[in-house]
């Protein structure tokens, strides 16, 4: 399977970091989400399309949630909001106009996030066709933004 990636873009098209993305593209993956996991590795995230809310039932760790509008055919999506440090046993709701979200480790979403660019995210057949010609290969090393960059020096 190709590496799925979400690049975080700030003002003046500045790259603020990126996450390796796992897609919750089946009923079971959407149902389970991050439940039962002990952690979400730094630099990784879980993408949910067609959702504007999440629950943290049975979760063992807090997360940040990046809420986005529906990605365009070229993989770009506007950020509608960020929910930071969402703790277990809580609910989180995206702002009006939210289409999906990326769940990532708490404290890793940089300030000033405006857009997200999805590369190789195959969460629906329509998106698979849309991004097939837009694939950008990235090196295996991860670029973190925000608190993770300061903490881990990447």
């Amino acid at each position: 399977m190709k590496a799925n990636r979400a690049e975080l873009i700030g003002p003046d098209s500045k790259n603020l970091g990126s996450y390796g993305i796992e897609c919750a593209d089946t009923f079971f993956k959407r149902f389970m989400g991050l439940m039962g996991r002990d952690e979400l590795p730094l630099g990784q995230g879980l993408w949910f399309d067609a959702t504007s809310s999440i629950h943290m039932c049975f979760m063992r760790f807090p997360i940040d949630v990046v809420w986005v509008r529906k990605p365009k055919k070229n993989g770009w999506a506007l950020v509608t909001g960020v929910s930071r440090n969402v703790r277990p046993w809580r609910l989180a709701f995206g702002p009006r106009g939210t289409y999906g979200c990326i769940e990532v480790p708490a404290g890793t979403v940089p300030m000033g996030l405006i857009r997200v660019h999805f590369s190789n995210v195959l969460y629906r057949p329509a998106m698979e066709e849309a991004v097939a010609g837009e694939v950008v290969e990235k090196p295996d090393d991860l670029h973190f933004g925000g608190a993770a960059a300061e903490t881990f020096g990447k």
Side-chain angles (χ1 to χ4, degrees), residues 19-20 22 34 37-46 59 61-64 102-106 108:
Y19 293 101
E22 178 184 341
L34 297 173
R37 298 187 192 188
D38 291 326
E39 67 176 3
L40 181 58
L42 191 62
Q44 297 298 306
L46 183 60
M59 290 284 294
F61 52 90
I63 61 171
D64 288 349
I102 307 169
E103 297 179 348
V104 298
T108 64

Side-chain angles (χ1 to χ4, degrees), residues 45-136:
L46 183 60
W47 163 250
F48 290 88
D49 69 331
T51 190
S52 60
S53 64
I54 62 162
H55 71 83
M56 295 288 290
C57 298
F58 306 102
M59 290 284 294
R60 299 177 181 163
F61 52 90
I63 61 171
D64 288 349
V65 183
V66 178
W67 304 99
V68 299
R69 292 194 184 276
K70 187 171 184 174
K72 296 182 186 269
K73 290 182 179 181
N74 61 7
W76 289 99
L78 290 174
V79 172
T80 58
V82 176
S83 298
R84 297 180 188 279
N85 200 35
V86 181
R87 295 177 303 170
W89 297 101
R90 302 285 193 263
L91 300 174
F93 299 90
R96 182 170 294 213
T98 295
Y99 172 79
C101 70
I102 307 169
E103 297 179 348
V104 298
T108 64
V109 177
M111 301 301 283
L113 181 60
I114 296 173
R115 294 180 294 161
V116 174
H117 182 254
F118 294 100
S119 299
N120 288 343
V121 176
L122 308 179
Y123 62 93
R124 292 276 191 244
M127 190 63 175
E128 181 177 345
E129 294 169 13
V131 299
E134 301 290 330
V135 174
V136 177

